[in-house]
C-alpha cells in the first residue's frame, strides 16, 4: 500500500439528503459501481484527494527504485541481476501509468515531481528504510510488495476509471514481484548460516515498517470515511493489516524464520493472529522526514532532476525544431 | 596463443555486454526522465541476457566446469576481454548515451556478421540478440540526434562526449591473432571489415545531431586483448563480484 495518510475533506461524509443534486447523482453512480471518467463532473475534493493519492502512489514507485537499485550492481548471479532489473523497470513503468492517470485529473507530471521535491507530496514511508544485505531484496519483494498487493488488488475496483485501469495492469506485475522476493528468501533461509542470518535480520528490520505501510490504526485514521464513500479507498487500514499478518506469518514459519513479535499468537476465537502494533511514533517521525534514508532518497531524486535539466531541455528544443520544420514544409 | 581462440571471442562478446550492463545499471532511479530510466534498465536487462548466453557458451567451450556466473564473478581484471569503451565511467547522461550509441553501432554490425557464423551456436545467439540490439541502436541514435541538435548546452555536452569517447572506438576494429583465426574458421568477421559500414552508420547520425566527428585516427587499446584495461574496471569488478567472493559456499 503506497498511500498513507492521504488528506481528504476532513469534514465527514454527507448523507445523500445533504448533497446538492449534482453531488447526489455523482454519489449514486459510485454506489451503483459505475466508473467516473476524466470528463465527467466530479466534486473538487474528490479530484484533489485522488491527485494526492495517485501522486503518492506514483512517487512511491519512483522512489522505490532506489533501495532496490542499490543492489542491482551487486546482485550475486546474472539471473538475479536480470530479475531485479526487470522488477525495477516494471516499477518505473507503474510510476508512468500512475502519473498518466493523475494527469487526467489536470495535474502534470512535472508539477507532481516539483511537489515531491519540495515536500508538498509524499511517498510511502517504507522506502525510507535502508537495504543493507542481499536478503533485503527478498524481504522487499516478499513483505513490501506483499503489503502493496493487499491494497492494490481491491483498488482495481476503485471508482475512478483511469486509476482502476492502471491498478489492473500493476497488479499483474506485482504478484510476480512478490514471488521473486519469496524465492530469494527461500534460497537464503535454506542456505548457509550466514545467509540464514541475513534472512532473519532482513525480516527483523522490515516487519514493522511493512505493517506501517497500511497507515495508522482505524481509530486514528481521519481521512478514511469520505475516501471509502467515494470508493477510492476500499478497506480500512486495520482490515488490510490483519489480512497481511494472517497471510505472512505462515509463510515466515515455512521459511523457518521468526517474526520479531513476542505477542504474535493465533487467536482461535477471532480466527486471526493477534500481533503487536508498530511503533507509531517512529512512523510519524519517518513521515516528518526523520526516517533513516529520507534525506538520501529525496536528495537522489533532486539530483536526478537538477543534473538532467539540460537533457529535458535539449530533447524539447529538438522536438520543437522538428515541429517547426514540419510546419514550414507544409 | 594461450587460450582457445573461440573461447577468447566468446569472452569478448560476453564481457562487453556484462560490463556495459553493469555501467547502465548504475543509472537506475537516477535518469533524466522516467522514460529514460525505463529504457536504460531495459537495455541493461537485454545485455545481461546476452551475457548469460555468450559466457554460458564460453564456459562450455572451455570445458573446465565454469558456467556464465563462474566466468562473470570469479575472474580478475587481466582475464576480462571487454573493450575499454564499455568500462568508461557513465559521466553525464550525454556521455552515457554517446557511449551507448557508439557501442550499438558496432554491436549491430558484429551481430549481423555473426548470424552467418559457421558455428551454429554462435549464429543462434547472434540471431536472438540482434532484434534487441537493433532497437537499442534506433533509440540511442535518436537520443544522440535530439541532444546534439537540442539547446546550445546539450549540443556542447554531446560534442564533448563524442570527443572524449571516439578514441575508444578504434579498438573494436583492430584485428589481432584471435580475429584472424576466427575469420579463417568462418566463425566471426575480421573486425576491420566492419569499419566502413560503421562509418556509414554514424556519419549521417552525427550530421543530423550537428556534431563534428574529430579528425583523428588515434585509438586506445588493451581491453579486448586483456593486455591493459583502464583503472575503472578494477572498481567495477569488486562491487559486482563481492557477494560471490565473500560467500564462496553460498548458492543464491
Amino acid at each position: 500500500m503506497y498511500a498513507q495518510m492521504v488528506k481528504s475533506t476532513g469534514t465527514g461524509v454527507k448523507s445523500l439528503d445533504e448533497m446538492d443534486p449534482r453531488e447526489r447523482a455523482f454519489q449514486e453512480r459510485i454506489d451503483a459501481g459505475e466508473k467516473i471518467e476524466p470528463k465527467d463532473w466530479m466534486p473538487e475534493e474528490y479530484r484533489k484527494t485522488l491527485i494526492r493519492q495517485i501522486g503518492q502512489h506514483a512517487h512511491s514507485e519512483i522512489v522505490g527504485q532506489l533501495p532496490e537499485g542499490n543492489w542491482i550492481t551487486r546482485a550475486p548471479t546474472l539471473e538475479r541481476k536480470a530479475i531485479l532489473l526487470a522488477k525495477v523497470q516494471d516499477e518505473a513503468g507503474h510510476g508512468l501509468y500512475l502519473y498518466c492517470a493523475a494527469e487526467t485529473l489536470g495535474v502534470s507530471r512535472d508539477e507532481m515531481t516539483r511537489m515531491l521535491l519540495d515536500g508538498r507530496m509524499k511517498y510511502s514511508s517504507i522506502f525510507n528504510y535502508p537495504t543493507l544485505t542481499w536478503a533485503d531484496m527478498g524481504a522487499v519483494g516478499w513483505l513490501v510488495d506483499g503489503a502493496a498487493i493487499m491494497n492494490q488488488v481491491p483498488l482495481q475496483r476503485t471508482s475512478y476509471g483511469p486509476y482502476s485501469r492502471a491498478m489492473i495492469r500493476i497488479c499483474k506485475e506485482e504478484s510476480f514481484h512478490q514471488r521473486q522476493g519469496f524465492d530469494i528468501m527461500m534460497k537464503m533461509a535454506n542456505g548457509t548460516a550466514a545467509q540464514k542470518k541475513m534472512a532473519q535480520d532482513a525480516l527483523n528490520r522490515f516487519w514493522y515498517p511493512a505493517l506501517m505501510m497500511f497507515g495508522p490504526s482505524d481509530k486514528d485514521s481521519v481521512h478514511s470515511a469520505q475516501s471509502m464513500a467515494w470508493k477510492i479507498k476500499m478497506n480500512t487500514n486495520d482490515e488490510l493489516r490483519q489480512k497481511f499478518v494472517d497471510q505472512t506469518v505462515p509463510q515466515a514459519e515455512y521459511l523457518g524464520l521468526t517474526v520479531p513479535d513476542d505477542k504474535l499468537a493465533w487467536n482461535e476465537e477471532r480466527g486471526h493472529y493477534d500481533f503487536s502494533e508498530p511503533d507509531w511514533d517512529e512512523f510519524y517521525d519517518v513521515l516528518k522526514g526523520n526516517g533513516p534514508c529520507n534525506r538520501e532518497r529525496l536528495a537522489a531524486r533532486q539530483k536526478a532532476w537538477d543534473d538532467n535539466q539540460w537533457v529535458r531541455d535539449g530533447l524539447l528544443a529538438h522536438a520543437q525544431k522538428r515541429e517547426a520544420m514540419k510546419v514550414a514544409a507544409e | 596463443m594461450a587460450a582457445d581462440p573461440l573461447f577468447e571471442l566468446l569472452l569478448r562478446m560476453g564481457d562487453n555486454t556484462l560490463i556495459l550492463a553493469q555501467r547502465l545499471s548504475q543509472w537506475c532511479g537516477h535518469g533524466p526522465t522516467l522514460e529514460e530510466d525505463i529504457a536504460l534498465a531495459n537495455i541493461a536487462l537485454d545485455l545481461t541476457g546476452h551475457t548469460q548466453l555468450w559466457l554460458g557458451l564460453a564456459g562450455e567451450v572451455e570445458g573446465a566446469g565454469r558456467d556464465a556466473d563462474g566466468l562473470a564473478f570469479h575472474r580478475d581484471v587481466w582475464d576480462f576481454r571487454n573493450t575499454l569503451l564499455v568500462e568508461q565511467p557513465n559521466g553525464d547522461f550525454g556521455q552515457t548515451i554517446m557511449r551507448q550509441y557508439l557501442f550499438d553501432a558496432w554491436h549491430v554490425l558484429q551481430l549481423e556478421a555473426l548470424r552467418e557464423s559457421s558455428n551454429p551456436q554462435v549464429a543462434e545467439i547472434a540471431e536472438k540478440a540482434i532484434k534487441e540490439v537493433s532497437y537499442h541502436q534506433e533509440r540511442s541514435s535518436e537520443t544522440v540526434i535530439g541532444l546534439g541538435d537540442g539547446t546550445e548546452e546539450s549540443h556542447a555536452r554531446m560534442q564533448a562526449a563524442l570527443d572524449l569517447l571516439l578514441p575508444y572506438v578504434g579498438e573494436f576494429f583492430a584485428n589481432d591473432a584471435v580475429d584472424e583465426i576466427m575469420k579463417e574458421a568462418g566463425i566471426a568477421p575480421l573486425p576491420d571489415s566492419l569499419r566502413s559500414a560503421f562509418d556509414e552508420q554514424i556519419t549521417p547520425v552525427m550530421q543530423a545531431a550537428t556534431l563534428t566527428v574529430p579528425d583523428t585516427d588515434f585509438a586506445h587499446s588493451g581491453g579486448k586483448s586483456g593486455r591493459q584495461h583502464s583503472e575503472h574496471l578494477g572498481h567495477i569488478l569488486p562491487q559486482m563480484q563481492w557477494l560471490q567472493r565473500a560467500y564462496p559456499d553460498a548458492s543464491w
Side-chain angles (χ1 to χ4, degrees), chain B residues 24-52:
Chain B
L24 293 174
S25 302
Q26 294 169 341
W27 271 100
C28 187
H30 306 282
T33 63
L34 208 39
E35 288 80 353
E36 288 302 333
D37 250 338
I38 294 171
L40 293 175
N42 189 40
I43 296 169
L45 177 58
D46 289 344
L47 294 176
T48 302
H50 304 165
T51 304
Q52 289 175 289

Side-chain angles (χ1 to χ4, degrees), chain A residues 40-170:
Chain A
D40 297 346
W41 181 86
M42 61 187 79
E44 190 52 19
E45 282 303 325
Y46 174 85
R47 195 181 68 84
K48 283 188 181 161
T49 308
L50 264 178
I51 288 175
R52 277 191 289 262
Q53 180 169 328
I54 301 174
Q56 192 177 111
H57 188 165
H59 297 324
S60 299
E61 299 281 358
I62 302 312
V63 177
Q65 292 181 87
L66 297 169
E68 291 183 304
N70 184 35
W71 278 92
I72 293 178
T73 56
R74 290 179 287 173
T77 67
L78 295 170
E79 181 73 18
R80 293 289 182 201
K81 195 192 295 286
I83 292 170
L84 195 54
L85 274 165
K87 177 171 192 275
V88 174
Q89 188 191 358
D90 282 350
E91 276 151 13
H94 297 173
L96 204 52
Y97 307 156
L98 289 160
Y99 283 127
C100 290
E103 279 177 333
T104 64
L105 293 159
V107 56
S108 73
R109 202 202 303 181
D110 282 2
E111 275 174 78
M112 282 184 278
T113 302
R114 272 188 283 273
M115 288 194 270
L116 167 70
L117 295 178
D118 70 19
R120 277 178 293 158
M121 284 181 104
K122 300 286 184 202
Y123 56 91
S124 175
S125 58
I126 191 71
F127 300 116
N128 291 311
Y129 289 86
T131 51
L132 302 179
T133 74
W134 175 251
D136 290 11
M137 294 303 96
V140 166
W142 173 38
L143 301 174
V144 175
D145 292 317
I149 291 169
M150 285 289 159
N151 183 49
Q152 289 169 357
V153 166
L155 276 177
Q156 294 178 100
R157 294 180 283 110
T158 187
S159 62
Y160 189 56
Y163 191 24
S164 158
R165 291 188 285 275
M167 277 302 153
I168 290 168
R169 294 177 70 178
I170 289 172

Side-chain angles (χ1 to χ4, degrees), chain A residues 309-319, chain B residues 146-151 154-155:
Chain A
Q309 184 67 45
W310 72 270
V311 178
R312 297 188 299 274
D313 291 346
L315 293 175
L316 184 64
H318 174 71
Chain B
L147 291 173
D149 178 48
T151 60
S154 73
H155 174 84

Side-chain angles (χ1 to χ4, degrees), chain B:
Chain B
M1 177 129 345
D4 177 349
L6 177 57
F7 178 65
E8 287 284 307
L9 172 77
L10 294 167
L11 289 185
R12 288 173 182 187
M13 295 306 296
D15 287 346
N16 273 328
T17 52
L18 173 64
I19 300 301
L20 186 54
Q22 187 71 5
R23 277 294 189 215
L24 293 174
S25 302
Q26 294 169 341
W27 271 100
C28 187
H30 306 282
T33 63
L34 208 39
E35 288 80 353
E36 288 302 333
D37 250 338
I38 294 171
L40 293 175
N42 189 40
I43 296 169
L45 177 58
D46 289 344
L47 294 176
T48 302
H50 304 165
T51 304
Q52 289 175 289
L53 297 172
W54 290 124
L55 294 186
L57 183 54
E60 272 179 46
V61 166
E62 187 192 34
R66 292 198 281 186
D67 59 8
D69 284 339
L71 289 167
F73 295 99
H74 292 281
R75 283 178 299 152
D76 206 339
V77 167
W78 54 77
D79 284 330
F80 271 75
R81 295 292 181 264
N82 58 281
T83 53
L84 299 176
L85 178 75
V86 298
E87 66 195 44
Q88 294 308 302
N90 285 338
D92 64 8
F93 181 74
Q95 276 178 47
T96 292
I97 209 70
M98 182 61 79
R99 183 185 63 197
Q100 190 63 39
Y101 173 58
L102 294 171
F103 178 77
D104 292 341
W106 166 79
H107 202 190
V108 167
L109 295 169
Q110 174 78 354
L111 292 173
E112 275 174 359
L114 291 181
R115 277 201 297 194
E116 311 300 324
S117 176
S118 63
N119 179 313
Q121 288 169 294
V122 170
E124 196 185 322
I125 297 175
E127 183 68 45
K128 193 173 178 317
I130 195 157
K131 294 186 197 92
E132 292 164 348
V133 172
S134 302
Y135 175 69
H136 301 169
Q137 176 180 265
E138 201 179 301
R139 201 170 195 289
S140 63
S141 62
E142 278 169 13
T143 312
V144 165
I145 292 170
L147 291 173
D149 178 48
T151 60
E152 207 175 309
E153 183 183 5
S154 73
H155 174 84
R157 283 177 183 262
M158 294 311 285
Q159 185 64 54
L162 179 58
D163 294 349
L164 178 75
L165 296 172
L166 196 72
Y168 293 97
V169 165
E171 187 178 13
F172 287 96
F173 303 101
N175 304 343
D176 65 14
V178 170
D179 300 315
E180 303 281 353
I181 296 168
M182 288 295 95
K183 167 67 185 165
E184 200 59 33
I187 293 176
L190 266 185
D192 70 356
S193 70
L194 304 176
R195 181 73 207 218
S196 62
F198 176 84
D199 291 338
E200 279 166 33
Q201 158 63 226
I202 71 161
T203 303
V205 169
M206 295 307 171
Q207 271 169 2
T210 70
L211 298 174
T212 308
V213 179
D215 184 18
T216 170
D217 289 335
F218 176 73
H220 291 288
S221 67
K224 82 171 201 179
S225 66
R227 177 178 57 81
Q228 181 172 278
H229 280 278
S230 69
E231 290 181 349
H232 304 299
L233 187 61
H235 292 273
I236 295 172
L237 297 188
Q239 189 176 58
M240 182 173 83
Q241 297 179 336
W242 171 69
L243 277 175
Q244 287 269 357
R245 301 279 194 154
Y247 302 97
D249 302 333
S251 110
W252 305 93

Side-chain angles (χ1 to χ4, degrees), chain A residues 12 29 32 37 39 43 45 58 75 122 143 171 180 187 252 288:
Chain A
R29 286 184 63 196
E37 295 299 335
K39 287 186 177 147
E45 282 303 325
K122 300 286 184 202
L143 301 174
C171 282
Q180 70 82 34
K187 245 341 196 192
K288 275 185 230 148

Side-chain angles (χ1 to χ4, degrees), chain A residues 109-276:
Chain A
R109 202 202 303 181
D110 282 2
E111 275 174 78
M112 282 184 278
T113 302
R114 272 188 283 273
M115 288 194 270
L116 167 70
L117 295 178
D118 70 19
R120 277 178 293 158
M121 284 181 104
K122 300 286 184 202
Y123 56 91
S124 175
S125 58
I126 191 71
F127 300 116
N128 291 311
Y129 289 86
T131 51
L132 302 179
T133 74
W134 175 251
D136 290 11
M137 294 303 96
V140 166
W142 173 38
L143 301 174
V144 175
D145 292 317
I149 291 169
M150 285 289 159
N151 183 49
Q152 289 169 357
V153 166
L155 276 177
Q156 294 178 100
R157 294 180 283 110
T158 187
S159 62
Y160 189 56
Y163 191 24
S164 158
R165 291 188 285 275
M167 277 302 153
I168 290 168
R169 294 177 70 178
I170 289 172
C171 282
K172 282 188 194 146
E173 293 172 347
E174 287 291 354
S175 57
F176 151 74
H177 295 172
Q178 196 203 7
R179 278 202 303 277
Q180 70 82 34
F182 192 72
D183 186 60
I184 291 176
M185 291 309 274
M186 290 256 286
K187 245 341 196 192
M188 303 293 283
N190 294 310
T192 63
Q195 285 176 301
K196 190 155 187 171
K197 187 174 167 191
M198 286 181 218
Q200 182 62 53
D201 177 62
L203 174 57
N204 292 349
R205 283 181 289 106
F206 276 96
W207 175 254
Y208 287 107
L211 296 186
M212 291 177 199
M213 287 175 70
F214 299 96
S217 175
D218 294 346
K219 60 184 189 302
D220 303 317
S221 183
V222 290
H223 307 297
S224 287
Q226 181 63 70
S227 288
M228 289 184 75
W230 278 333
K231 293 192 187 164
I232 56 185
K233 185 177 171 114
M234 310 299 285
N235 305 82
T236 73
N237 296 349
D238 287 335
E239 273 168 22
L240 291 170
R241 194 172 4 255
Q242 181 70 60
K243 205 172 164 200
F244 174 76
V245 171
D246 290 347
Q247 175 185 291
T248 309
V249 169
Q251 293 171 347
E253 281 168 5
Y254 180 78
L255 291 169
L257 300 177
T258 309
V259 173
D261 180 357
D262 294 340
K263 295 199 182 113
L264 185 76
W266 178 252
N267 183 325
E268 196 65 53
E269 205 173 307
R270 290 202 309 126
H272 293 292
Y273 283 95
D274 292 334
F275 59 95
S276 302

